């Protein structure tokens, strides 16, 4: 398949642990999530029952995934973003390569290309080989080298056909939210949602190592001259003071904006971290220091594109019990609450314009955008699944994204999260994001109302 260079990408996205299953198949090593869900049963702390990704939507089975690829083709997408399971490629995290793991993704890539769907690879989407987790994970400076070794295996095996790689998915959500909550569940804390300031200070070090790893991989990829592009996917949450007349809420929103949004972009495009956030991190972790050489490496190896994951803005309130005094996760004022925040499509437009104006208009792909609801918010009737809230969300957010493109944002694609309902991390299978309904017992698939709405949008686009 020859890619049309300027063709806008319309796609869907997924992550390995959330869809593959096959968690012990063909020599795969254990990941952190295999241990979290099987040994520690972390979902019990959040949904009251044990769910695992052991089977998920069974995407490791080629017979199954070929049916899903056929559904993607029916949907009309020309791109599919998926992640690689590090422990499927390198069971111990480093060292010996598992050829059967490499073969699985080679076959998937070839099958996507045969269906005129461009594969976009996310190297790392939260599933770290457990052997590396035991060595301190991203808190260990050696993680930069572990990751470089792993990424090179991907580049050399897949870079001839895959022309877009993403180094990491959502470092903020992964290291400042999901991992601390998982560890709270493992420690059986009374309130699993309570994260300390000291935890944030400690995790800042892990995030810094991750950005060094990303820059190193970008440097290595460019040296290989594979003719493609490499970027990083960041979560973005525009911040709104819950009470604009309350100075403490205004300050909390400013802190959260620096922590979640500006920390990463300032490092990559300006060669320094936001000073106010750096001081906060050091207040709770005095040993956290970054060298001029580190920042130079990050700034000298900018991503070729920014993957923007946007779901919702955050209404932020000052709260002494929240890390850095900024509470954002429990402040959704909507009557019918989307799992992932308030529905405000105008903030996607504002976000894209802000990135354009503040950071010299980088190439952008929206790598995730979607709506998470519980099963009760969908109407399943035989072969029909009505999800009007998700359908409305998708239409309005695509409108906002395309308006930003018309207004000068260098937007090259939109990848919907997610194709199928899947394993939603700490919340198991109770939260659904898919435009395709999955019965997890039978593995039956039913395209939802939102599937057909997205299909129509793609069909009506002049370059889609």
């Amino acid at each position: 398949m020859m890619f049309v260079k300027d063709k806008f990408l319309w796609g869907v996205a997924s992550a390995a642990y959330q869809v593959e299953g096959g968690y012990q198949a063909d020599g795969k090593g254990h990941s952190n999530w295999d241990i979290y869900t099987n040994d520690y049963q972390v979902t019990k702390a959040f949904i009251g029952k044990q769910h695992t990704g052991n089977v998920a939507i069974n995407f490791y089975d080629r017979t199954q995934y070929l049916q899903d690829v056929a559904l993607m083709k029916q949907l009309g997408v020309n791109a599919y973003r998926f992640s690689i399971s590090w422990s499927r490629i390198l069971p111990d995290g480093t060292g010996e390569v598992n050829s059967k793991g490499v073969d699985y993704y080679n076959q998937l890539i070839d099958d996507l290309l045969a269906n005129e769907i461009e594969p976009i690879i996310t190297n790392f989407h939260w599933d770290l080989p457990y052997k590396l987790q035991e060595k301190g994970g991203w808190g260990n400076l050696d993680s930069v080298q572990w990751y470089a070794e792993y990424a090179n295996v991907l580049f050399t095996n897949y870079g001839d056909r895959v022309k877009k790689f993403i180094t990491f998915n959502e470092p903020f959500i992964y290291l400042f939210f999901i991992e601390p909550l998982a560890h709270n569940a493992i420690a059986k804390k009374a309130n699993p949602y309570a994260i300390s300031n000291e935890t944030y200070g400690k995790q800042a070090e892990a995030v810094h190592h991750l950005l060094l790893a990303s820059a190193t991989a970008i440097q290595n990829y460019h040296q290989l001259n594979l003719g493609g592009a490499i970027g990083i996917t960041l979560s973005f949450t525009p911040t709104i003071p819950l009470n604009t007349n309350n100075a403490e809420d205004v300050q909390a929103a400013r802190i959260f904006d620096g922590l979640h949004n500006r920390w990463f972009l300032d490092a990559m495009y300006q060669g320094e971290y936001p000073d106010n956030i750096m001081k906060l991190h050091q207040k709770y972790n005095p040993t956290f220091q970054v060298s001029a050489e580190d920042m130079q490496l990050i700034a000298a190896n900018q991503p070729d594109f920014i993957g923007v994951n946007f779901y919702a803005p955050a209404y932020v309130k000052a709260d002494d019990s929240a890390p850095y005094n900024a509470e954002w996760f429990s402040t959704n004022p909507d009557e019918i609450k989307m799992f992932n925040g308030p529905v405000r499509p105008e903030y996607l437009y504002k976000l894209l314009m802000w990135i354009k104006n503040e950071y010299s208009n980088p190439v952008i792909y929206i790598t995730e955008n979607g709506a998470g609801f519980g099963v009760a918010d969908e109407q399943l009737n035989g072969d029909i699944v009505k999800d009007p809230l998700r359908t409305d969300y998708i239409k309005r957010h695509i409108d906002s994204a395309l308006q930003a493109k018309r207004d000068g944002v260098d937007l090259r694609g939109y990848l919907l999260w997610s194709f199928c309902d899947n394993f939603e991390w700490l919340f198991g299978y109770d939260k659904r994001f898919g435009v395709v309904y999955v019965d997890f017992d039978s593995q039956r698939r039913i395209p939802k109302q939102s599937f057909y709405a997205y299909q129509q949008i793609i069909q009506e686009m002049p370059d889609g």
Side-chain angles (χ1 to χ4, degrees):
M1 170 187 175
M2 292 297 291
F3 299 123
V4 180
K5 190 175 181 186
D6 297 325
K7 190 178 182 70
F8 192 83
L9 295 185
W10 292 102
V12 287
S14 73
Y17 189 77
Q18 294 181 269
V19 299
E20 284 179 5
Y23 82 116
Q24 292 180 318
D26 297 329
K28 178 185 170 295
H30 287 313
S31 75
N32 54 344
W33 281 91
D34 293 325
I35 302 299
Y36 291 169
T37 58
N38 285 283
D39 293 16
Y40 293 110
Q41 304 182 13
V42 292
T43 60
K44 279 188 175 179
F46 301 94
I47 61 172
K49 51 198 162 184
Q50 182 189 12
H51 285 174
T52 76
N54 294 355
V55 177
I57 70 166
N58 198 31
F59 205 82
Y60 189 70
D61 183 324
R62 184 168 181 249
T63 303
Q64 177 62 69
Y65 84 58
L66 284 174
Q67 296 173 31
D68 291 332
V69 171
L71 266 180
M72 289 180 204
K73 198 164 174 72
Q74 180 187 336
L75 178 58
V77 297
N78 57 19
Y80 175 50
R81 174 188 171 220
F82 61 96
S83 78
I84 306 288
S85 168
W86 186 337
S87 56
R88 206 179 285 289
I89 301 293
L90 293 162
D92 294 332
T94 59
E96 190 174 346
V97 175
N98 176 24
S99 61
K100 288 187 176 179
V102 172
D103 291 347
Y104 165 71
Y105 295 108
N106 266 323
Q107 185 65 66
L108 174 59
I109 289 163
D110 289 344
D111 288 332
L112 289 166
L113 292 172
N115 283 278
E116 299 184 306
I117 296 171
E118 178 174 355
I120 300 172
I121 283 180
T122 306
N123 297 352
F124 181 80
H125 195 131
W126 304 0
D127 52 340
L128 188 70
Y130 196 67
K131 291 277 180 76
L132 301 184
Q133 184 92 3
E134 290 180 307
K135 295 177 181 176
W138 296 104
N140 186 334
L141 181 58
D142 290 345
S143 59
V144 177
Q145 189 51 45
W146 300 336
Y147 179 80
E149 177 188 330
Y150 161 63
N152 280 339
V153 175
L154 305 189
F155 300 153
T156 53
N157 280 281
Y158 308 131
D160 57 332
R161 287 151 296 148
V162 173
K163 296 306 172 189
K164 292 178 184 66
F165 285 91
I166 294 166
T167 56
F168 288 96
N169 179 76
E170 294 187 344
F172 174 86
I173 298 294
Y174 167 54
L175 286 172
F176 282 121
F177 187 62
I178 294 291
E179 281 283 305
L181 295 193
H183 291 145
N184 283 350
I186 291 167
K188 299 195 181 309
K189 291 200 173 175
N191 177 8
Y193 287 99
I195 304 172
S196 70
N197 290 324
E198 288 73 18
T199 295
Y200 263 32
K202 182 183 173 191
Q203 290 297 87
E205 216 158 339
V207 170
H208 181 63
H209 295 158
L210 187 147
L211 281 174
L212 290 173
S214 181
T216 302
I218 289 169
Q219 184 178 55
N220 291 345
Y221 179 79
H222 287 151
Q223 287 172 352
L224 289 169
N225 293 316
L226 292 167
I230 184 165
I232 187 170
T233 280
L234 303 171
S235 56
F236 289 97
T237 303
T239 59
I240 309 163
L242 188 63
N243 179 353
T244 53
N245 296 317
N246 181 327
E248 290 184 350
D249 284 3
V250 171
Q251 174 65 3
R254 181 171 168 265
I255 292 294
F256 190 68
D257 175 55
L259 182 66
H260 193 155
N261 302 317
R262 291 186 292 113
W263 181 264
F264 302 94
L265 292 180
D266 281 12
M268 293 185 296
Y269 291 104
Q270 297 170 3
E272 59 185 13
Y273 290 125
D275 187 57
N276 62 328
I277 307 303
M278 191 70 189
K279 287 188 168 111
L280 258 179
H281 286 326
Q282 290 175 330
K283 178 180 177 182
Y284 295 103
N285 180 5
T287 63
F288 177 47
Q289 302 290 335
V290 298
S291 68
E293 291 78 15
D294 283 356
M295 300 315 295
Q296 189 176 0
L297 177 72
I298 292 168
N301 294 284
Q302 292 178 3
D304 298 324
F305 61 87
I306 295 294
V308 168
N309 285 5
F310 173 87
Y311 290 96
Y315 287 88
V316 183
K317 67 176 179 179
D319 183 342
D320 290 339
S321 67
Y324 294 176
N325 202 34
E327 170 54 35
W328 62 283
F329 193 66
S330 63
T331 49
N332 184 347
D334 291 358
E335 188 176 339
I336 300 176
K337 296 189 190 308
M338 185 174 71
F339 164 63
N340 43 310
V343 178
R344 301 289 185 277
E346 66 272 20
Y347 277 90
L348 175 55
Y349 174 85
K350 291 178 181 180
L351 168 68
L352 294 172
M353 296 301 291
W354 171 73
I355 296 172
K356 168 186 177 287
N357 294 328
E358 288 290 319
Y359 300 99
S360 304
N361 201 15
V363 173
I364 288 175
Y365 293 89
I366 293 173
T367 40
E368 289 182 29
N369 176 241
F373 291 103
V375 182
D377 296 309
E378 301 179 345
Q379 302 155 27
L380 174 61
N381 185 3
D383 289 334
I384 298 170
V385 180
K386 290 187 178 176
D387 58 342
L389 297 174
R390 182 175 295 106
T391 298
D392 173 70
Y393 178 101
I394 292 168
K395 287 178 176 176
R396 291 164 63 202
H397 281 78
I398 289 175
D399 283 348
S400 285
L402 294 180
Q403 184 60 53
K405 186 175 187 292
R406 286 191 290 271
D407 289 344
V409 171
D410 194 357
L411 180 64
R412 307 281 182 93
Y414 174 91
L415 307 174
L416 177 74
W417 187 276
S418 64
F419 181 59
C420 283
D421 293 332
N422 54 45
F423 178 83
E424 186 48 38
W425 304 108
L426 297 168
F427 308 97
Y429 298 101
D430 281 14
K431 305 296 182 186
R432 292 173 178 257
F433 279 89
V435 294
V436 174
Y437 173 87
V438 177
D439 179 320
F440 294 104
D441 293 326
S442 67
Q443 293 296 336
R444 181 185 178 210
R445 279 35 168 178
I446 306 172
K448 302 178 188 179
Q449 176 186 356
S450 55
F451 176 101
Y452 297 106
Y454 188 35
Q455 180 188 58
Q456 184 176 356
I457 289 168
I458 296 170
Q459 287 172 350
E460 290 174 354
M461 290 297 158
D463 62 349

